[in-house]
Amino acid sequence: MRGIFIVFTLCFLASFNTVESNENPEFARKGPGTERERAIEELIRKTFREPVTFGNFSVNPGNGVLRVKQTINNMLVSGLSKAVRTVQADLKAGTIFMTYEVKRLTTHVDYELEGYCLLLPIWGKGKAVVVMDDVRVTAKATVTSQHDKIKITEMKITFDMSDGYFDLSSLFGESQPGFLTPLYVKVFNANSRYIFNEILPSYIPHSEEVLSTVWRLVLEKV
Ligand SMILES: *[C@@H]1O[C@H](CO)[C@@H](O)[C@H](O)[C@H]1NC(C)=O
């Protein structure tokens, strides 16, 4: 299902009304950090503007109740400029850590999907909207610095939210809104936490890849 849930993930982003907080217990470094660390933090915070666009990509079927191959095009994520973003670079420990907290995130995509929900075949293409509330994303990059160059050796993202819902134009190959798709969308939305938990993990690797690429470009500048 859905091409939805997406990589919203990629959150870092955003524009310029950043709120900062240094109280995050996950942060290892005490104090303000070096000039270079602060430069990295500032660059990462300002990397994107709204809405955030993602390259086209596909997601392989999972192993759960929903086994659906998804092709996602023209993905747009909005709401990120309102997020509270915290970034901490600790070059001594070799980590760059970011949290991103936002009340509501809205994602629009063109999707194509094919697979099974339980044993029922579903397929279709069209537009989807996904809304998620109380979203919290963390990203942790492991970095090495050599000869003044900072390299990312690993990127880990976690994603959490309190609630979400989505709308899809077609789940059963219809070209017009019919009866079955709205019915299923309703059922899915009544179980949205469950559905999101099932779908989101398959978006994490792509998100990590995208975020690594973005941070790599940022780190070339410091
Ligand atoms: C993504 O796919 C759409 C087709 O749905 C295409 O129009 C668009 O150019 C593609 N974008 C990129 C960056 O390849």
Side-chain angles (χ1 to χ4, degrees):
M1 91 162 268
R2 342 63 260 304
I4 326 201
F5 340 76
I6 320 288
V7 191
F8 351 59
T9 340
L10 310 211
C11 307
F12 21 111
L13 348 179
S15 11
F16 302 93
N17 41 347
T18 307
V19 183
E20 290 178 55
S21 107
N22 270 320
E23 289 153 23
N24 198 310
E26 285 144 315
F27 289 172
R29 195 195 68 213
K30 305 290 173 223
T34 64
E35 204 172 301
R36 191 169 191 216
E37 286 167 337
R38 290 200 305 276
I40 291 169
E41 291 162 7
E42 198 54 20
L43 279 169
I44 285 178
R45 257 198 300 272
K46 291 186 171 173
T47 298
F48 293 97
R49 290 161 195 255
E50 298 247 48
V52 182
T53 56
F54 293 85
N56 298 343
F57 60 99
S58 49
V59 174
N60 287 322
N63 299 315
V65 166
L66 295 164
R67 301 181 181 211
V68 182
K69 178 164 169 61
Q70 304 155 57
T71 305
I72 306 298
N73 290 335
N74 303 322
M75 187 165 101
L76 282 181
V77 178
S78 47
L80 293 161
S81 63
K82 297 197 178 107
V84 176
R85 271 163 283 155
T86 322
V87 184
Q88 192 194 71
D90 187 337
L91 295 179
K92 219 186 256 172
T95 56
I96 301 174
F97 188 75
M98 182 203 71
T99 63
Y100 203 88
E101 288 167 297
V102 61
K103 211 69 204 135
R104 171 162 286 193
L105 220 51
T106 305
T107 301
H108 289 84
V109 298
D110 296 330
Y111 72 88
E112 241 175 88
L113 56 84
E114 183 172 7
Y116 293 89
C117 172
L118 288 170
L119 294 177
L120 181 75
I122 58 179
W123 74 101
K125 62 195 252 182
K127 293 188 180 301
V129 183
V130 185
V131 174
M132 292 189 293
D133 287 336
D134 302 319
V135 177
R136 184 173 195 273
V137 181
T138 72
K140 185 178 176 184
T142 306
V143 300
T144 58
S145 51
Q146 280 173 342
H147 310 300
D148 270 7
K149 291 244 175 288
I150 303 171
K151 281 175 86 170
I152 298 176
T153 56
E154 188 181 43
M155 173 70 79
K156 285 277 162 218
I157 287 179
T158 68
F159 188 91
D160 196 20
M161 52 149 201
S162 70
D163 203 3
Y165 65 90
F166 44 83
D167 198 11
L168 291 169
S169 52
S170 166
L171 277 175
F172 300 96
E174 322 98 306
S175 53
Q176 302 285 323
F179 168 71
L180 265 186
T181 293
L183 187 68
Y184 270 76
V185 167
K186 220 168 163 180
V187 172
F188 287 147
N189 279 319
N191 299 282
S192 60
R193 275 263 4 169
Y194 178 80
I195 301 284
F196 278 102
N197 284 345
E198 189 130 327
I199 296 294
L200 283 172
S202 50
Y203 281 85
I204 296 286
H206 178 72
S207 309
E208 289 170 345
E209 228 171 84
V210 172
L211 190 56
S212 292
T213 304
V214 171
W215 283 17
R216 208 163 278 140
L217 293 173
V218 168
L219 293 172
E220 280 172 10
K221 295 184 198 155
V222 290

